[in-house]
Amino acid sequence: MKHVTHRLLPTVFASTFVLFAAVLPVGTDEPTDPLIETAVEAVSARRLKEDLNLLVGFGTRHTRSDTESNTRGIGAARRWLAARLAEASVQSGGHLVVESQSHIIPAGRRMPVDTELVNVVATLPGSDEGRVVIVSGHYDSRNSTDENVTDDAPGANDDGSGTVAVLEAARVVAAAQGLLPQRVELEQ
């Protein structure tokens, strides 16, 4: 298994912090919300690194890579992400709703055959439906060409860091157990 270097961790921290910056009061003298302070303090560098190493361990996450294996390819990564988000849902007392959204991309310039794309989405409802924070990443990766769907493309820097930042944000906001005024959508 390939391991992630510490060079990516600042990017992961910055990505995770964006979620919390989006809900902080801006340009006011208002004190910071204690719920948000608690969430920011709960971000775990250890878990971010562990999750990134696990994600890289799927070898490739090319959109057209293996969807059946439990250890390699985009299908294994997709199921792992859904399971991680389901863990956060349990932590939230069921407030965090996890779903997979599947659609077919017809064959074309970049996809030589019809290809199923699956987004893994978690939503934490807020008390104010007019306020929404969306945190997004992409869990697929690719080699230097679109045609190479089998060779390793571990993708730590092909948004693997963004993917684990979304997972960590899900874990942290799930602990709020529906107390945030914003609806938070975490999308992969």
Side-chain angles (χ1 to χ4, degrees):
M1 173 187 296
K2 298 181 189 304
H3 291 281
V4 178
T5 65
H6 293 284
R7 291 178 295 177
L8 287 175
L9 289 180
T11 302
V12 174
F13 283 127
S15 299
T16 305
F17 182 74
V18 167
L19 167 68
F20 304 109
V23 295
L24 293 172
V26 177
T28 69
D29 293 330
E30 293 180 43
T32 303
D33 185 326
L35 185 61
I36 294 171
E37 287 179 2
T38 300
V40 171
E41 291 169 4
V43 173
S44 168
R46 177 194 54 77
R47 182 146 175 150
L48 285 163
K49 184 176 179 183
E50 287 173 1
D51 282 348
L52 191 52
N53 281 324
L54 285 167
L55 189 63
V56 165
F58 292 114
T60 182
R61 298 183 314 279
H62 190 288
T63 303
R64 294 187 343 240
S65 65
D66 191 329
T67 60
E68 302 298 322
S69 172
N70 287 322
T71 59
R72 183 172 176 79
I74 198 160
R78 175 187 312 143
R79 288 185 294 279
W80 175 78
L81 288 168
R84 277 290 210 243
L85 290 170
E87 290 171 12
S89 179
V90 169
Q91 177 187 354
S92 76
H95 289 99
L96 186 70
V97 178
V98 180
E99 63 181 312
S100 292
Q101 301 170 342
S102 175
H103 57 283
I104 302 295
I105 299 296
R109 186 176 58 84
R110 290 193 61 199
M111 298 290 180
V113 296
D114 290 355
T115 304
E116 180 185 32
L117 296 183
V118 180
N119 296 319
V120 182
V121 179
T123 304
L124 185 68
S127 58
D128 180 351
E129 285 299 314
R131 297 173 69 187
V132 178
V133 175
I134 299 173
V135 182
S136 181
H138 68 90
Y139 66 94
D140 63 331
S141 65
R142 65 178 216 123
N143 281 296
S144 58
T145 67
D146 289 335
E147 296 81 27
N148 186 343
V149 302
T150 56
D151 288 347
D152 277 357
N157 63 344
D158 186 3
D159 213 30
S161 58
T163 298
V164 299
V166 171
L167 285 178
E168 184 65 3
R171 186 186 70 78
V172 170
V173 299
Q177 297 184 12
L179 300 175
L180 294 174
Q182 302 82 3
R183 183 176 81 228
V184 179
E185 293 185 13
L186 303 137
E187 303 175 357
Q188 298 288 344

